[in-house]
Amino acid sequence: MRIAVSATAPGLDADVDPRFGRCQYFIIVDPQSMEFETLENSSAMAAGGAGISTAQMIAGKGVEFVLTGNCGPNAYQTLSAAGIQVITGVSGRIKDAVEAYNTGRLQPSTQPNVGSHSGMGRGMGMGMGRGMGMGRGMGPGIIPQAAPQAMSPEEEIEALKSQTQMMAQQLSEIQRRIAELGKES
């Protein structure tokens, strides 16, 4: 089995990119052996349709799961149609995200967790600022925005559950980093 993880840089030590369609790289990894390949996302700078074209590219790689921070409705629909399950709310290092996947701590999303075009700007909510995460993608700037259209109560519950899962993963990563820094001093 192979999974695709949106990444800020090549390699397992890179951070999970919170954007799916406009991430710089994907790490395609076998979660059991940890063998991986790096794939540059040629759609990252596309004027439009980045989510769909990125999802089509990933579907052509024979992956069964995608791990990412956020996934919009067009990309989500394209991935779902290809039989690929999407796990959103993922943050931290790639190898830690794969470990969380292996241990069952990550669950597939039932719907997109951001609205259309949410990864295009670097405005409030999607910026890659250096907040609490010290540039590790954990700062408050990546909390997913609710989709702009009105949601049913069930959809809102799912979106809030997804956001809660992402925040729990971010807290876990912060605690891990604090412990790591404590050992260094």
Side-chain angles (χ1 to χ4, degrees):
M1 179 191 7
R2 292 166 25 117
I3 61 176
V5 187
S6 59
T8 59
L12 296 175
D13 286 323
D15 288 329
V16 175
D17 194 314
R19 302 162 301 171
F20 172 78
R22 294 191 182 277
C23 70
Q24 294 280 325
Y25 300 94
F26 281 95
I27 307 300
I28 311 292
V29 62
D30 177 325
Q32 302 308 313
S33 68
M34 294 303 284
E35 291 181 23
F36 70 95
E37 67 176 288
T38 299
L39 180 65
E40 205 166 334
N41 183 6
S42 59
S43 300
M45 302 305 284
I52 294 171
S53 60
T54 300
Q56 290 170 336
M57 174 185 69
I58 291 301
K61 291 293 179 180
V63 302
E64 295 179 38
F65 285 87
V66 166
L67 278 58
T68 188
N70 299 302
C71 186
N74 295 333
Y76 186 90
Q77 182 178 8
T78 303
L79 291 166
S80 294
I84 298 170
Q85 295 189 55
V86 181
I87 299 175
T88 58
V90 181
S91 63
R93 290 185 299 185
I94 303 285
K95 63 183 173 186
D96 296 333
V98 174
E99 179 185 330
Y101 168 83
N102 280 336
T103 59
R105 292 181 300 194
L106 302 177
Q107 298 301 314
S109 305
T110 59
Q111 64 183 22
N113 68 330
V114 293
S116 298
H117 310 289
S118 65
M120 290 185 71
R122 287 195 172 292
M124 192 62 175
M126 290 305 297
M128 290 295 292
R130 296 187 63 86
M132 293 179 0
M134 297 167 282
R136 297 177 53 81
M138 300 184 311
I142 64 166
I143 295 173
Q145 299 292 304
Q149 67 273 13
M151 288 192 247
S152 71
E154 293 81 17
E155 291 171 329
E156 187 173 359
I157 288 170
E158 285 303 312
L160 290 170
K161 284 181 180 179
S162 176
Q163 189 172 0
T164 301
Q165 179 183 9
M166 184 175 103
M167 292 171 80
Q169 290 169 348
Q170 289 174 341
L171 179 59
S172 176
E173 179 64 18
I174 290 168
Q175 291 169 334
R176 182 199 64 77
R177 183 66 179 148
I178 289 170
E180 186 179 279
L181 290 170
K183 291 177 185 174
E184 292 174 5
S185 38

